[in-house]
Amino acid sequence: MELLSGNEAIARGAWEAGATIGVAYPGTPSTETMENFGKYEDVYAEWCTNEKVAVEVGMGASMAGRRVLSTMKHVGVNVAADPLFTAAYTGIGGGFVILAADDPGMHSSQNEQDSRYYAMAAHIPMLDPADSSEALKFTRDAYELSERFDTPVMIRSNVRVSHTRCLVEVGEKVPFEPKPYKKDASKYVMMPLYAKVRRVVLEQRVADMKAFVEECEYNKVVEGADNEIGVICAGSTYQHVIEALPEANVLKIGVSWPLPEKKIRDFAASVKDVYVIEEGSEYLSNQVKALGVTLSETVRPLKPEGELTPGLISYAFGKDIPSHIESPEDLPPRPPALCPGCPHRPVFRELHRIHAIVTGDIGCYTLGALAPLEGIDSVLDMGASVSMAHGVELALQDKAHNPVVAVIGDSTFAHSGASSLLNTVYNCGTGTVCILDNRTTAMTGRQGNPVNGVTLQGRPSRELDLPAFVRSMGVDDVRVVDPQDLEAVKRELGDATKNDHLTVIIFKSPCVLLERKQREKYWINANCRGCGICTTLGCPAISRDSESRLASIDPSLCCGCSQCSQLCPFDAIVHEGK
C-alpha cells in the first residue's frame, strides 16, 4: 500500500498498464500527473505546446501501437476538442487514455466546466473515480477498455481527487507489447468517404458500451440502512454523500458516460425518494430525468456553483449544521499578489500609469489586474490577449483612444498566442504586444516550455529564439527589454504605444522563484517622506505605518530586486551595504 494523490495514482495506473508515452500541457489540477508519469523508467513524457497538440501526438503514438496517457485540465479539453471528436471516429491502435481534471470552485481556473459533457458529445467513454485507489484501478483498466472498444477513454478527476492522498493498493507493471503499425486509410483518414463508414462503427460501439456499463463493476449500489433515501452520484461527491447520509442507499456511478440506464431505473424503483447529488453541474440529474425518473427535491436547495461538502449535503437534507467556532470576521484582508521581486510588476505599473487598454491572458500575471497595479482590463482564455487587442484596435480605429496593449506570458504565447499574433500581422494590425518572458510556466509550478527549452524529463533540447521567431512572422519592430529596469520599461512602453505600427516588446527576466538569488536586501532610511510612491508597486514586502505614513520593508520578504529603490524620489530606499 502506498499513500498517493489522485494525480500520482493515475500516473501509476498508466505505468502499470504498460503505457510508455505521456503527452500533456500543464494545468491545475492535472499537472502533477504527467510530472509523476515522467519519473517512471522506460517511459517518454513531454510537455506539448497545447492540449490539441498533445492529443494529436498521443493519437499518432497510439496509431503506431503504443499505450499513451494524455493529461489536461478542464479548459484544456476545449482546446483538445477538435482532434478528440474525430478520434472517436477513427478509434485507436494502442490504448489511449485522456485525463480531464475539472476544477469546481475555480481554485485556479477562469471557469467551472463539467468534462462529462465532452464525453457525451464526442461519444467517448468516461470513467469517474471517487478517490486515489479508484483513480489507479480505473486508469489501469481504461487501457483494456480502450483497446476492447477501439476508442480513446477519458478519466475525469477534480481538484479533490487529484490532490487528496489516500492509501492505494499498487501493482506491478504489466508488460505490453506494442502493436505493429498497420496502414489502414479507411480507419484513420477521415475524409467523408471513410468518415461516413466510421460513423456507423461508432454507433455500434456506443451500443456495445451501453450494454457493458449495465454489467460492469464500476457502477454499483452501496446499500444503507433503509430504502427511504436513494442517491445517485459520481466521483468525489460519493465520498461526501456517504459521510453526510450514511443511512441512504447510493448508486455510485463509475462510468459517467454512457450511463447504465436500466440500472438507474431499477435503483430508482427500489427506493422511496431518489435524488441526484452533483457539484457545479446538472449533467447527471438531467440525464437521469431524461430516463423518466422523477427526482425528489431536497429540503433546502444545494448551491449550483462550487464544490460540495458533507455539511452542505446534510443541510440540504434538513439536518442542522453542527455547532462550531465561527471564523473571526475582523481579520485584515490579504488579497493575492505577485511575488516580491516579480519582473512583471514594473510592466503593469507602467501600463496603469499610461492608462493603457490592456488585454491580458492566462497565467500568474493575471494578478496584475488587482490593486494597486490594476494593469489588466480583460482575461478570457489562453492566447486571447493578442487576438482581443486586435479586436479592440479594429473597433476604435476611427476614434481617439488610449494605447491598446496585449500582455501574454512566454508559455501561453507558445500555447496559442503565436497564432493570434500571426493573425494580427496577417491582417495588418497595430498596437503593442508585451511578451512577459520569465523563462518558465510559472503558475502551474515552473514547468518547461519551448521558449526556455527545458523539457519535462530534462532531456537536451532547443530554446526558441523568441525575437527571431516574432520577426519571422513579419513584425519589424521587436524589442527585448529587462523589466527590472524601470526606466527602460517606461521608455520602451512610452515609445511603442505612441507609434502607429505593430510593436512586440519581449520583457525578459527570470521568475524570482527560479533563481532564488540571495541579493542584498533593501531597507528604508530617514529620508522617507511618507509619499507612498513605493507602495504603488504592490510589493508584499512594503508596508506603511497607519499614523506616520512612513514606509518599511519586511526583510523576510525582500529579495533585493531594487524596483522600489529605483522608484523612490528621495533616495530613502537603499540596500544593506549603504
Side-chain angles (χ1 to χ4, degrees):
M1 301 285 279
E2 292 188 14
L3 193 63
L4 298 178
S5 69
N7 283 343
E8 292 169 328
I10 291 169
R12 174 84 189 192
W15 177 78
E16 288 185 9
T20 52
I21 293 180
V23 286
Y25 184 81
T28 303
S30 70
T31 308
E32 300 86 358
T33 310
M34 194 54 64
E35 290 179 328
N36 281 280
F37 180 77
K39 294 176 182 176
Y40 287 106
E41 294 182 354
D42 304 325
V43 305
Y44 171 87
E46 68 177 31
W47 293 129
C48 298
T49 50
N50 62 44
E51 297 82 357
K52 174 180 180 291
V53 172
V55 169
E56 291 162 348
V57 174
M59 278 299 296
S62 170
M63 185 176 70
R66 297 293 192 99
R67 285 185 168 179
V68 182
L69 174 67
S70 181
T71 68
M72 61 198 70
K73 66 183 298 179
H74 61 295
V75 289
V77 184
N78 302 333
V79 183
D82 195 359
L84 193 63
F85 276 60
T86 305
Y89 277 53
T90 67
I92 51 86
F96 189 19
V97 174
I98 301 167
L99 166 66
D102 291 356
D103 187 14
M106 293 177 282
H107 297 276
S108 184
S109 304
Q110 63 269 42
N111 65 36
E112 291 181 337
Q113 291 179 200
D114 188 337
S115 295
R116 295 176 296 188
Y117 285 109
Y118 270 109
M120 180 174 68
H123 299 97
I124 291 176
M126 171 168 275
L127 304 184
D128 217 332
D131 57 24
S132 298
S133 183
E134 285 192 346
L136 190 153
K137 174 178 169 51
F138 284 15
T139 305
R140 186 177 57 208
D141 294 356
Y143 286 93
E144 296 289 344
L145 296 176
S146 176
E147 292 166 4
R148 173 178 172 181
F149 292 105
D150 187 23
T151 177
V153 173
M154 297 182 77
I155 299 284
R156 178 179 181 255
S157 177
N158 64 16
V159 67
R160 292 300 148 193
V161 173
S162 291
H163 292 161
T164 300
R165 290 174 180 267
C166 66
L167 286 173
V168 178
E169 186 76 44
V170 299
E172 299 296 324
K173 179 178 181 179
V174 177
F176 174 75
E177 187 66 28
K179 298 181 178 181
Y181 174 70
K182 181 180 179 182
K183 182 180 177 69
D184 187 351
S186 64
K187 175 174 166 59
Y188 290 112
V189 179
M190 285 302 96
M191 64 174 67
L193 174 66
Y194 296 143
K196 291 176 181 176
V197 176
R198 293 300 300 181
R199 175 58 196 263
V200 176
V201 173
L202 184 149
E203 291 301 324
Q204 181 57 52
R205 179 195 304 152
V206 170
D208 293 343
M209 291 189 299
K210 285 187 174 180
F212 166 75
V213 297
E214 296 290 350
E215 304 298 331
C216 73
E217 61 182 307
Y218 312 113
N219 302 314
K220 61 183 181 183
V221 175
V222 181
E223 294 186 355
D226 58 51
N227 294 333
E228 293 291 311
I229 298 176
V231 176
I232 303 172
C233 58
S236 63
T237 300
Y238 167 73
Q239 308 289 1
H240 303 323
V241 169
I242 59 174
E243 183 175 340
L245 306 170
E247 72 280 10
N249 280 1
V250 179
L251 173 56
K252 179 181 179 299
I253 299 294
V255 183
S256 48
W257 195 87
L259 288 169
E261 298 177 0
K262 180 177 182 301
K263 182 166 284 189
I264 290 173
R265 289 194 183 98
D266 290 347
F267 176 77
S270 70
V271 294
K272 180 183 177 184
D273 293 304
V274 61
Y275 305 84
V276 170
I277 298 180
E278 56 188 332
E279 58 187 10
S281 174
E282 295 182 339
Y283 166 81
L284 193 53
S285 59
N286 284 341
Q287 300 308 309
V288 171
K289 285 188 283 188
L291 298 176
V293 175
T294 300
L295 297 178
S296 298
E297 297 289 336
T298 54
V299 177
R300 304 181 182 101
L302 282 163
K303 63 174 186 172
E305 78 285 352
E307 290 188 285
L308 291 180
T309 65
L312 289 172
I313 296 171
S314 297
Y315 186 70
F317 278 80
K319 298 181 180 179
D320 294 332
I321 297 177
S323 61
H324 60 279
I325 301 173
E326 296 288 349
S327 300
E329 297 180 351
D330 56 348
L331 295 176
R334 187 182 180 188
L338 295 168
C339 299
C342 176
H344 304 333
R345 182 171 282 108
V347 177
F348 287 122
R349 183 183 181 279
E350 185 61 21
L351 290 173
H352 174 73
R353 194 189 68 82
I354 64 176
H355 304 293
I357 301 170
V358 182
T359 52
D361 226 297
I362 305 295
C364 59
Y365 48 91
T366 304
L367 297 173
L370 302 178
L373 296 172
E374 299 177 304
I376 292 180
D377 293 48
S378 70
V379 174
L380 185 64
D381 67 290
M382 298 281 278
S385 59
V386 183
S387 314
M388 288 187 67
H390 179 53
V392 174
E393 288 277 13
L394 290 174
L396 301 180
Q397 61 184 335
D398 298 328
K399 302 176 182 177
H401 61 82
N402 292 346
V404 179
V405 179
V407 176
I408 187 169
D410 50 340
S411 181
T412 311
F413 181 74
H415 177 281
S416 48
S419 56
S420 297
L421 180 60
L422 189 59
N423 178 72
T424 301
V425 173
Y426 168 59
N427 290 292
C428 303
T430 58
T432 304
V433 174
C434 298
I435 302 176
L436 306 183
D437 178 7
N438 65 354
R439 321 304 299 154
T440 191
T441 309
M443 190 172 190
T444 49
R446 303 186 298 280
Q447 288 75 29
N449 63 60
V451 177
N452 66 20
V454 177
T455 69
L456 192 155
Q457 292 178 304
R459 298 179 299 275
S461 183
R462 306 176 184 88
E463 178 181 316
L464 176 69
D465 185 338
L466 193 52
F469 179 63
V470 174
R471 288 191 186 96
S472 74
M473 291 185 181
V475 180
D476 297 322
D477 189 356
V478 181
R479 313 174 188 192
V480 180
V481 176
D482 179 1
Q484 298 287 14
D485 183 342
L486 270 59
E487 189 58 37
V489 171
K490 182 178 181 179
R491 180 180 64 249
E492 297 297 338
L493 271 178
D495 181 65
T497 53
K498 289 173 184 170
N499 66 42
D500 58 359
H501 57 261
L502 178 62
T503 300
V504 174
I505 305 177
I506 301 169
F507 288 104
K508 184 176 180 180
S509 182
C511 171
V512 291
L513 299 179
L514 275 183
E515 292 198 326
R516 298 180 184 274
K517 284 184 176 178
Q518 293 298 315
R519 302 185 185 92
E520 287 186 303
K521 299 180 185 299
Y522 281 77
W523 63 286
I524 296 178
N525 63 27
N527 291 342
C528 180
R529 310 285 181 85
C531 68
I533 192 170
C534 55
T535 62
T536 63
L537 281 167
C539 178
I542 302 175
S543 59
R544 295 176 76 189
D545 185 90
S546 59
E547 294 183 359
S548 69
R549 310 303 293 167
L550 297 179
S552 63
I553 295 177
D554 183 342
S556 67
L557 294 177
C558 179
C559 64
C561 68
S562 84
Q563 292 175 13
C564 56
S565 178
Q566 295 179 58
L567 203 59
C568 179
F570 304 110
D571 295 324
I573 304 179
V574 296
H575 58 69
E576 290 176 329
K578 290 188 176 180

